[in-house]
Amino acid sequence: MNALEAISIDKRYANHVALHDVNITVPEKSIFGLLGPNGAGKTSLIRIINRITGPDNGEIKFFGDALNPEHVNQIGYLPEERGLYKKMKVGEQALYLAQLKGMSKFDAKVKLNEWFERLEIGDWWNKKVEELSKGMAQKIQFVTTVLHEPRLLILDEPFSGFDPINTAIVRKEILRLRDQGSTIVLSTHNMGSVEEICDSIALINKSRVVLDGSVDEVRRRFNENEFLIRYEGSAVSLANSLWTNFELISNSRDEDEGDNEAIIKLRDERTLNDLLNTLTPNVQILEARPHIASMNDIFIQAVEQSKHTS
Amino acid sequence: MSKVGLIIKREYLSRVRKRAFIFMTILGPLLFAGLVAAAVFAVSVDSVEHKILIVDDQGIITRYDERIGQYLPTCPDCFPERDGYVYRFSDKALSDSTFINSDYTLMATVLEGVYDHKKAELYYKKVPSSSASNVIEGDLESALERAKVSKSNLDFDTYRTLKVNIQLSKYDIEKGEENAEGKAAVGLIFAVITFFFLFLFGAYVMRGVIEEKTNRIVEVIISSVKPFQLMIGKIIGVGLVAITQVLIWVVFSIIIFSIAGLLFENGAFSSAEAMAEIAEQQGGTANLDFESFLAQNKLTKILLDINWLQLLSMFVLYFVGGYILYSSLFAAIGSVVDSDTDSQQLMMPIMLPLFFAYIVAIMSVDNPEGTAAQIFSIVPFTSPTVMMVRISVGNVPIWELLLSVVLLITTCFFMVWLAAKIYRTGILMYGKRPTYRELWKWLFYKT
């Protein structure tokens, strides 16, 4: 079952189009990366899912049902720009936010104590938020977002403001929540964490989805027919041996090992065998494998490409 | 508890628990009482010792006591002992030169036929303060009253129970104008309270909205509740704080003035005079001349003359209505700015009608039945203050009252709707402050 489906969502504001015919599908119990450059429309989509605003056109389905006001209690949202009441005590504030999500005060207290204990922040309960550091406040915000055990969790840049240790803690908690059955929509610019924890992604640029699918599939598909060849020999002779049907994307030399790494794209239904046949007379091949791009490269390339097409 | 209930609770508790609130709530009445006490003290220090000769050649209110060879009042209670006032009595007026050379400061003569023309004369060396002449007037009045009652076959207690009614009609007919002004001044006190709280607590609502917006917590909250729920919860929560403060002040003031009254009764002033001084203080802030009607019994008459049930119930209605009207506008403004300092310019369109309402209320005291008072007591933005003045005077036609209330309630709904439209868009907008044109467009956005 899909936790979330956005079906041809349109949203326009007075001066610009925020979302145009956006379709995304988030499978249940997975981590979904919602990617895109600043101003692409991610926040608009997230706000529509949270029912903060409504779409001009299109429909959101939440576990198969049309999204309705009852569902907000089953969603947890950590906005990118976030804050807490500065003058309020940590515990009181967490209870308040949990109750606004429909939890009883008692349940909220029990769960909060659990979380505070696990994250070892129990002694913060009576501190005012203004006494906390930014990272501490972020931690509290994370807890208040997940406290009501939402079926769908929307985290916008959850790692920003955390040091590496706390980033690791939060990452661990996100994975734990997924394993316990939550579905997580993660919006981030941190492509490393996308590769590590996302199961599938959608890349939005200029109000449109320009790329989507499972992370593995996207990475494979994106650099289809590109192969990484590690070889011994001169880069010049490698380049000379390539015909027009093979395109040398890049070549780099590892001085320590004394070998080269070339990335070569195959055209016109050429196969790896054809490439190897072409190369073997000229260089010594050490390794050949499909080239899988990093999410970082994919992000940059996808955004560049959509710039040209639009 | 419903989500709006939770918001109201948070808004309320986070404010009443603040040290500043507790401080102001306790200290406010104390400061006020202190000011009044200081003023009363100043007056008592400054006041001249009066030795007054009451001349009664008709023997209406005095009798000759043979044992001590002096004239005494037939009703000693009517000339109570007060600091600063010593009464002597005689059947003969002093000649001008004798009076000048005597140690009497004032001489009051009860003229023949006093019950018909209701006049007595007061001679002085130096112009007595109006409070002094009021005291003497009051004392003479009660003595004459007592004498007249004792000649009738009524006993005085019966008369006293009748007195209120008799005097109510008497003052309405004969001194209608003077009393109207006094009553209007009482209404003005309510108008000023209303103005003060609309301004102060409207600004609290606005600051609360700005705080949530600059804190960025607002986005988290409106992912749980509708923006409208957050706005209305804040308005109600802050409103309850206002009501709490008013109630505490009222209770405190009653306690303080009761204590003060007891002290004054044992000391220099009767509690009634203290009351008069209080009224003078309050009037003083509104630049009104209360002197003319401040004698203790006149003030009492004014206070008795007011339809308190109507005034108080209408006060609650207009206070709440005015608060909802203005605070929703304050909330809307808070939502479109990023900081307190940005709000100044946008506040103008609210401050103008609010101050206008205050000024019209003050001017209505002089002419509560005038056209201006009539119109602005019906217009929703000014009615919460102006109508207070008119109601305290009385004589507001029922249709005007109804129209005013219906208009106020309708406008409240409209303003809350309008504010909600601006609010829900404004709280998520950062950076450039929107123009009025853009605000206008926001009203028609689909959510």
Side-chain angles (χ1 to χ4, degrees), chain B residues 159-231:
Chain B
Y159 169 74
R160 269 226 297 246
T161 59
L162 294 172
K163 184 179 164 191
V164 174
N165 293 331
I166 292 163
Q167 290 201 340
L168 274 175
S169 53
K170 174 182 152 196
Y171 270 80
D172 267 0
I173 296 159
E174 292 189 2
K175 293 189 172 179
E177 271 302 288
E178 249 184 48
N179 262 6
E181 200 168 79
K183 288 192 283 183
V186 174
L188 182 65
I189 293 170
F190 286 91
V192 170
I193 292 175
T194 306
F195 166 77
F196 178 67
F197 274 87
L198 293 193
F199 185 45
L200 198 68
F201 283 81
Y204 282 165
V205 170
M206 185 182 76
R207 244 175 281 148
V209 173
I210 294 175
E211 187 205 354
E212 278 169 357
K213 194 180 165 182
T214 49
N215 264 357
R216 308 272 180 163
I217 195 170
V218 70
E219 192 159 351
V220 174
I221 291 178
I222 61 169
S223 70
S224 303
V225 303
K226 288 185 168 301
F228 178 77
Q229 291 175 307
L230 177 59
M231 185 184 90

Side-chain angles (χ1 to χ4, degrees), chain A residues 189-202:
Chain A
H189 289 133
N190 182 343
M191 291 303 139
S193 61
V194 173
E195 279 167 20
E196 276 175 58
I197 64 175
C198 286
D199 300 309
S200 55
I201 60 130

Side-chain angles (χ1 to χ4, degrees), chain A residues 129-175:
Chain A
V129 171
E130 58 189 356
E131 298 168 34
L132 303 181
S133 73
K134 193 182 171 208
M136 291 159 98
Q138 298 267 74
K139 235 171 173 174
I140 302 293
Q141 274 155 354
F142 181 79
V143 172
T144 59
T145 308
V146 300
L147 194 69
H148 60 291
E149 296 176 347
R151 294 175 81 187
L152 178 67
L153 197 52
I154 301 171
L155 306 173
D156 200 346
E157 292 294 350
F159 305 113
S160 76
F162 282 124
D163 58 43
I165 293 167
N166 280 315
T167 303
I169 292 174
V170 169
R171 178 176 302 147
K172 199 180 86 190
E173 291 300 334
I174 291 173
L175 290 171

